[in-house]
Amino acid sequence: MSAATTPRLIIHGGMGRLEGNLDIPHKEHAYAQHRQATTRLEDFRDALTGIATDSHQVLLDEDARAAVLHALRLLEDHPLFNAGTGSRIQGDGKVRMSAALMDGPRNLFSGVINVEAIRHPIDLAALLATEEHTVLAGEQANAYARERGFLPHDPITPERRTEYEKLVLGKTGTVGAVALDGSGHICAGTSTGGVGGETPGRVSDAATVAGTYASEQMGVSCTGVGEQIVNQAAAAKLATRVLDGMALPEAVRKTIAEADALDYRFGLIGLDRQGGMEIGQTRGVNVLFASHDGATVRSFFDSLAEQTKSGTSQPR
Ligand code: GLY
């Protein structure tokens, strides 16, 4: 197998610092000194590295699409993350979830917006890829889910209920995965419970091409303030830059610099056809990621430790 087709994947569990009760430390408070935050960080690290390892095996056994779906299902099931079970509660006390899947080689985007009471929104997004109309929202998405046998599921955890009752609202939190398989196919997926406390009917970036995109050259999943990700058309812009010949690292740097100029808050994970994996994050943001390149599992935790050692300010 050539280096270009070595299967690898990268996943994210949202952004740390804006994730409500989780506060990922930055240079202003070295993380080693924050035992409580560090303990929470370890929970996120363990969850993400476990899911990355599990999903990498699916990538080896099957393909990029299967691995992305597997990763997203596990992330949706994990109560730590704001997607599926553990989604944040909206302003009217309900959970509405959005998810999207994009298959690079087929140039096929499918998504579901503001669906309620299902366990795996990503599966609904994947099913919509078989339809003529590939993005469904709201009541019609709920009805479609029931017709297709998606069983009722309550995604509200006691922790999210308490958070909602105390009006402890964060800014965002989302999960995502991008995988490259042995055939060189790239697939990307994103799933979110939104920002918490939002106006019912709000549409996040996740199930748009601003938040999720894959092509034959690259794949990307975003996390952060959805409106800002949409304003920047972040994922689609990154894909166009790579299509037009820019290397992924440069495309990520440029896209993030543009967002920083507007003082935006978001992050992304990207993966290209050569197997290069990139984390992009605006000022003050840490993307909670884990990656698996076939040999090594890395996570945001390793990056934070390296920055603390080297004294660098902006995490990568
Ligand atoms: N990025 C997730 C959201 O804004 O809903």
Side-chain angles (χ1 to χ4, degrees):
M1 186 178 289
S2 75
T5 55
T6 300
R8 55 191 66 202
L9 103 168
I10 182 163
I11 65 173
H12 73 78
M15 317 192 310
R17 197 158 193 217
L18 301 180
E19 182 69 66
N21 57 1
L22 173 73
D23 187 16
I24 303 272
H26 290 257
K27 69 168 183 181
E28 63 265 34
H29 23 234
Y31 94 105
Q33 293 162 9
H34 286 247
R35 293 313 307 166
Q36 209 183 344
T38 305
T39 306
R40 286 300 309 272
L41 287 176
E42 285 162 350
D43 294 342
F44 280 85
R45 176 200 59 189
D46 293 349
L48 287 167
T49 54
I51 291 170
T53 303
D54 219 60
S55 304
H56 188 264
Q57 191 56 50
V58 175
L59 184 61
L60 296 181
D61 294 343
E62 298 181 51
D63 59 17
R65 185 175 179 279
V68 166
L69 287 175
H70 186 79
L72 266 296
R73 282 188 208 111
L74 293 178
L75 289 161
E76 286 175 341
D77 278 345
H78 203 300
L80 267 186
F81 302 109
N82 177 18
T85 302
S87 287
R88 298 199 110 127
I89 301 175
Q90 300 198 341
D92 61 352
K94 291 187 175 180
V95 161
R96 294 180 185 82
M97 300 164 287
S98 300
L101 186 71
M102 184 150 186
D103 192 329
R106 288 200 292 159
N107 188 226
L108 183 55
F109 180 97
S110 58
V112 63
I113 295 170
N114 290 337
V115 70
E116 292 175 49
I118 66 169
R119 182 172 165 198
H120 292 132
I122 194 64
D123 282 339
L124 197 56
L127 186 58
L128 280 163
T130 64
E131 302 285 359
E132 182 185 355
H133 304 298
T134 56
V135 182
L136 274 187
E139 283 309 314
Q140 289 74 17
N142 293 338
Y144 177 83
R146 300 296 169 239
E147 276 162 24
R148 298 307 166 115
F150 283 74
L151 298 175
H153 172 78
D154 182 2
I156 299 181
T157 60
E159 291 78 14
R160 290 300 188 203
R161 171 71 61 201
T162 306
E163 177 188 78
Y164 175 71
E165 282 162 3
K166 289 185 178 164
L167 290 176
V168 183
L169 302 178
K171 288 280 184 205
T172 187
T174 294
V175 300
V178 188
L180 166 72
D181 64 26
S183 311
H185 291 174
I186 298 174
C187 186
T190 310
S191 183
T192 188
V195 293
E198 64 262 68
T199 308
R202 170 188 182 264
V203 174
S204 88
D205 62 291
T208 74
V209 295
T212 307
Y213 206 86
S215 66
E216 289 192 350
Q217 294 82 26
M218 57 80 75
V220 54
S221 169
C222 297
T223 177
V225 181
E227 286 74 5
Q228 298 177 353
I229 294 167
V230 168
N231 288 345
Q232 287 286 285
K237 186 159 66 175
L238 200 62
T240 304
R241 284 183 164 145
V242 175
L243 179 67
D244 288 348
M246 198 180 275
L248 181 66
E250 193 189 343
V252 169
R253 266 195 302 278
K254 193 166 167 56
T255 302
I256 293 298
E258 288 165 354
D260 271 335
L262 294 165
D263 209 19
Y264 280 177
R265 294 282 181 272
F266 67 78
L268 58 88
I269 53 170
L271 194 161
D272 66 21
R273 202 184 155 84
Q274 291 70 43
M277 296 190 274
E278 286 295 316
I279 314 295
Q281 41 207 6
T282 59
R283 253 191 319 275
V285 164
N286 281 292
V287 175
L288 305 181
F289 75 92
S291 62
H292 198 313
D293 64 4
T296 310
V297 186
R298 270 184 60 78
S299 77
F300 69 94
F301 204 82
D302 304 309
S303 299
L304 285 172
E306 284 159 15
Q307 288 147 31
T308 303
K309 246 190 193 165
S310 67
T312 52
S313 59
Q314 185 63 16
R316 286 300 308 273

